[in-house]
Amino acid sequence: MAARINTSIQTSLWLLNPFHSSLNLKPTHFRTRLHFCQNLLSFPSHSSSKRAIFCTSTSNFNSHDSGAATDPFVITTPLYYVNAAPHMGSAYTTIAADAVARFQRLLGKKVIFITGTDEHGEKIATAAATQGSTPSEHCDIISEAYKTLWKDLDVAYDKFIRTTDPKHEAIVKEFYSKVLANGDIYRADYEGLYCVNCEEYKDEKELLADNCCPIHLKPCASRKEDNYFFALSKYQRLLEETLTQNPGFVQPAFRLNEVQSWIRSGLKDFSISRASVEWGIPVPNDEKQTIYVWFDALLGYISALSENGEQPNLQEVVASGWPASLHLIGKDILRFHAVYWPAMLMSAGLKLPKMVFGHGFLTKDGMKMGKSLGNTLEPNELVEKFGSDAVRYFFLREVEFGSDGDYAEDRFINIVNAHLANTIGNLLNRTLGLLKKNCQSTLVVDSTAAADGNAFKDKVEELVVKARNNYEELALSSACEAVLEIGNAGNSYMDERAPWSLFKQGGASSNAAAKDLVLILEAMRIIAIALSPVTPRLSWRIYAQLGYSKDQFDAATWNETKWGGLKAGQVMAPPNPVFARIEQAIVNGEEEAPKKPVKSKKKIAQAVAES
């Protein structure tokens, strides 16, 4: 049965709304391409003083972007729904956001990294009842589980907002009242097919057989309610124009095509309240209804900006950092963030976020994950088993950001061992071992002097630029690859120069070998900084091995990726592996005995020569 709105009420509201006649006009203010927060576009409303404010996005976030240099870089994850414990999909979004936030901090920007939990709605009340607890008790437990996981994954967020926080409720009510005053909220009867898991009414044409939701694969139930609605259709043309003139607003580009297709197919007003759900924020002036979960949760990106302990005011909170620089989300909630949310902000006269980036889904062994299939991937278990650096590196390196990605344990172990333990960890350990044996762990020359006329320095500098560009473009996998190439270049240089042999020759050859070690250790220092957004613990261990303090590591910026950091006389730490190989796999709950590695003749000869 197709969803339908009480037509007589809708028609009356349409005739009373002075905006409907302006939809057929071609506004002249769209002729000029929008720039960062500089153009204020008038938008017809019940008050001539109301305006919708827009910000153009760009495809990257480099330090030369338009806008005030002091503007904070505000990045958000979704506010995760607390009907169940955190899963790997949520963890993936959050470690990606953390990597972006850490990179922006390295650039010297003030970063506000927002995450949190969405705690209202029908599913929450149902989940709590199933567990024999109250909704409030259930939310406390699950919200704390998210905080614990983020700590275990080394996620350094700045703000954690819960939608049950009183300051959030105050912002939601003020925002609701602002949209209501703009004439964009009305009351009507609604009947349609409702997916409880999506918390959304569905069009029949988008459902599978037996009216099943295409995301949750469960039948949608027929419902009829008297709700409040947001006039989304009123903003169709303005959304179309905004996306046309701001193609970087939705990323990756193929996600923009999806959003534009949805809008072109015709936008329908959507319900923003529920009469049958008690667990939520009451609608202002109507205590019998609660605000619909999305009209509630999306405001968390703004309410999170309020300072602890203050009585929030929408205008003051917005001045604390809005608009967001980047909303990082899964592709399943793209419609809410790229269509509903911009229209809501337009209605309230607030600036739009600069970018919405929708990443793909994760699969396991090539199959969609699900409890019914028994193939779920628990992030807590992965971290406990392999460590946070391994988990963060694998998913950011092996999944092309924006596309779907797959996890297989064998591949996980092979990639982590090859990249972190062998290419990076073993290179550092070999070099420090030679330095200890031949130079008493002390650098004999500055890295700048050691690199004079050496092409190795040029190669490293080229890869640093490549890594930075990829970070700025949100190409996290490519950024990891660029940093790994520095490690590969270091290993090739080591094998080519064979400093262990040069040291045995003595004289000028020994001096040359000592310089070679400085070159490689300088490359390792640069790797530590350049890879720190992805593997913060590993990077710190590398930095410590190079003789630096924790304070020096924490204060490091992207400027430290410039060649020339190591100085003559600097004492390195004794060699100690910074990343242990994963030597055992867990199969069917049992540990396999580690297999002894088989060394090639070349590796055996090299090991003997270095000893």
Side-chain angles (χ1 to χ4, degrees):
M1 179 186 301
R4 56 182 182 272
I5 297 178
N6 185 304
T7 54
S8 62
I9 295 178
Q10 187 183 40
T11 303
S12 299
L13 288 165
W14 177 255
L15 292 173
L16 291 171
N17 189 349
F19 178 74
H20 77 275
S21 61
S22 67
L23 286 177
N24 295 321
L25 299 178
K26 186 174 180 61
T28 58
H29 54 245
F30 283 120
R31 292 175 183 170
T32 303
R33 184 173 179 82
L34 300 176
H35 299 288
F36 271 102
C37 309
Q38 293 174 349
N39 288 2
L40 303 182
L41 305 187
S42 299
F43 195 66
S45 69
H46 290 288
S47 171
S48 60
S49 64
K50 292 186 180 295
R51 318 179 73 161
I53 305 171
F54 300 85
C55 291
T56 307
S57 65
T58 179
S59 61
N60 60 34
F61 303 105
N62 60 53
S63 57
H64 306 294
D65 283 344
S66 304
T70 57
D71 287 349
F73 183 90
V74 180
I75 179 172
T76 73
T77 71
L79 302 191
Y80 299 110
Y81 214 34
V82 297
N83 61 309
H87 53 75
M88 194 59 228
S90 304
Y92 173 62
T93 309
T94 310
I95 59 177
D98 184 65
V100 174
R102 286 176 181 272
F103 170 72
Q104 292 293 327
R105 292 190 191 105
L106 285 176
L107 295 183
K109 295 186 182 179
K110 176 188 176 183
V111 173
I112 304 176
F113 175 14
I114 296 170
T115 188
T117 45
D118 174 9
E119 303 183 10
H120 289 134
E122 184 176 354
K123 281 195 295 184
I124 307 303
T126 301
T130 301
Q131 298 296 324
S133 63
T134 66
S136 179
E137 292 169 340
H138 173 84
C139 290
D140 288 344
I141 292 171
I142 303 299
S143 182
E144 194 60 36
Y146 274 96
K147 288 183 178 181
T148 299
L149 179 59
W150 297 165
K151 181 179 179 180
D152 292 343
L153 280 167
D154 297 312
V155 173
Y157 58 81
D158 298 290
K159 302 279 189 178
F160 191 101
I161 186 67
R162 297 179 59 183
T163 59
T164 50
D165 191 319
K167 71 179 182 182
H168 173 74
E169 181 173 340
I171 293 298
V172 170
K173 287 184 174 180
E174 185 177 352
F175 184 91
Y176 183 99
S177 298
K178 203 172 183 66
V179 175
L180 178 66
N182 198 40
D184 291 337
I185 294 176
Y186 61 90
R187 191 168 184 168
D189 290 326
Y190 191 87
E191 183 175 359
L193 295 167
Y194 187 77
C195 174
V196 174
N197 290 292
C198 288
E199 297 275 12
E200 179 188 23
Y201 282 98
K202 298 287 187 180
D203 283 340
E204 193 171 3
K205 62 184 180 182
E206 64 182 305
L207 299 177
L208 304 177
D210 298 323
N211 292 328
C212 283
C213 170
I215 297 174
H216 297 98
L217 305 180
K218 294 181 179 180
C220 295
S222 178
R223 285 190 179 182
K224 183 177 181 180
E225 285 189 303
D226 172 20
N227 294 149
Y228 290 93
F229 285 78
F230 173 69
L232 178 65
S233 58
K234 171 178 170 179
Y235 293 90
Q236 175 154 341
R237 175 171 293 183
L238 194 50
L239 285 169
E240 289 175 344
E241 296 280 3
T242 300
L243 293 179
T244 298
Q245 297 180 38
N246 297 274
F249 178 66
V250 178
Q251 291 292 320
F254 58 86
R255 300 263 182 251
L256 174 64
N257 296 335
E258 293 177 27
V259 173
Q260 290 176 319
S261 177
W262 291 334
I263 295 174
R264 284 195 299 267
S265 67
L267 296 179
K268 297 181 179 179
D269 300 349
F270 67 92
S271 171
I272 60 171
S273 74
R274 294 290 181 267
S276 58
V277 180
E278 296 181 2
W279 182 244
I281 297 174
V283 170
N285 301 319
D286 190 343
E287 295 291 322
K288 294 182 180 179
Q289 300 224 18
T290 53
I291 295 176
Y292 169 57
V293 65
W294 283 104
F295 209 82
D296 164 7
L298 290 166
L299 267 297
Y301 300 138
I302 293 178
S303 65
L305 293 169
S306 61
E307 296 299 326
N308 293 332
E310 73 174 16
Q311 183 63 34
N313 169 280
L314 183 59
Q315 183 177 353
E316 293 175 352
V317 171
V318 164
S320 297
W322 191 259
S325 305
L326 174 62
H327 285 323
L328 195 55
I329 60 168
K331 64 181 181 180
D332 55 325
I333 53 175
L334 182 62
R335 187 195 306 254
F336 300 105
H337 286 78
V339 181
Y340 291 17
W341 182 224
M344 289 163 55
L345 292 166
M346 290 174 184
S347 176
L350 299 181
K351 297 175 183 178
L352 272 61
K354 297 174 185 178
M355 182 185 291
V356 176
F357 189 102
H359 66 71
F361 288 158
L362 298 179
T363 57
K364 184 179 180 184
D365 300 318
M367 297 177 62
K368 182 179 179 180
M369 289 184 281
K371 291 182 179 180
S372 60
L373 298 174
N375 69 338
T376 55
L377 193 58
E378 299 299 334
N380 295 289
E381 294 178 4
L382 279 182
V383 174
E384 183 177 354
K385 190 173 175 182
F386 301 117
S388 61
D389 282 323
V391 174
R392 290 171 64 104
Y393 182 82
F394 176 81
F395 284 103
L396 297 184
R397 167 62 180 83
E398 285 305 293
V399 179
E400 183 181 352
F401 202 46
S403 302
D404 294 347
D406 186 65
Y407 170 87
E409 185 168 279
D410 288 347
R411 180 160 179 75
F412 179 99
I413 293 172
N414 290 337
I415 289 293
V416 168
N417 279 343
H419 295 187
L420 302 186
N422 294 351
T423 299
I424 293 175
N426 190 47
L427 176 61
L428 176 63
N429 208 52
R430 293 167 64 193
T431 309
L432 288 177
L434 286 169
L435 189 74
K436 179 182 179 182
K437 178 181 178 181
N438 299 282
C439 306
Q440 293 75 51
S441 295
T442 304
L443 302 185
V444 300
V445 67
D446 291 354
S447 55
T448 300
D452 187 27
N454 195 305
F456 178 70
K457 170 180 175 285
D458 298 334
K459 178 66 174 177
V460 172
E461 289 180 330
E462 173 189 325
L463 291 170
V464 167
V465 171
K466 185 177 179 181
R468 173 171 177 158
N469 290 340
N470 284 319
Y471 275 126
E472 289 176 338
E473 296 290 341
L474 301 181
L476 301 181
S477 176
S478 297
C480 291
E481 178 61 28
V483 179
L484 186 70
E485 285 184 46
I486 298 176
N488 288 329
N491 279 292
S492 295
Y493 185 81
M494 172 77 89
D495 293 341
E496 177 187 329
R497 294 287 297 168
W500 51 89
S501 296
L502 295 176
F503 276 123
K504 291 179 179 179
Q505 295 173 26
S509 295
S510 182
N511 291 335
K515 288 184 178 180
D516 289 336
L517 298 187
V518 174
L519 290 175
I520 295 172
L521 291 173
E522 175 70 358
M524 291 305 309
R525 186 191 64 79
I526 291 171
I527 286 173
I529 300 302
L531 200 59
S532 63
V534 177
T535 58
R537 292 194 188 190
L538 171 61
S539 292
W540 155 235
R541 290 194 295 273
I542 294 172
Y543 228 54
Q545 286 275 282
L546 298 176
Y548 292 100
S549 69
K550 187 64 163 62
D551 287 343
Q552 287 174 304
F553 176 72
D554 291 340
T557 69
W558 192 263
N559 285 333
E560 268 67 58
T561 61
K562 293 180 180 178
W563 191 277
L566 294 181
K567 305 301 179 183
Q570 189 163 333
V571 179
M572 306 286 101
N576 185 35
V578 291
F579 194 92
R581 283 180 55 84
I582 302 170
E583 296 289 1
Q584 57 188 23
I586 307 299
V587 181
N588 297 325
E590 297 180 358
E591 294 186 358
E592 287 185 338
K595 298 178 180 178
K596 293 182 179 180
V598 179
K599 292 186 177 180
S600 66
K601 292 181 180 180
K602 179 180 178 181
K603 291 292 185 182
I604 294 173
Q606 181 174 301
V608 171
E610 293 179 14
S611 62

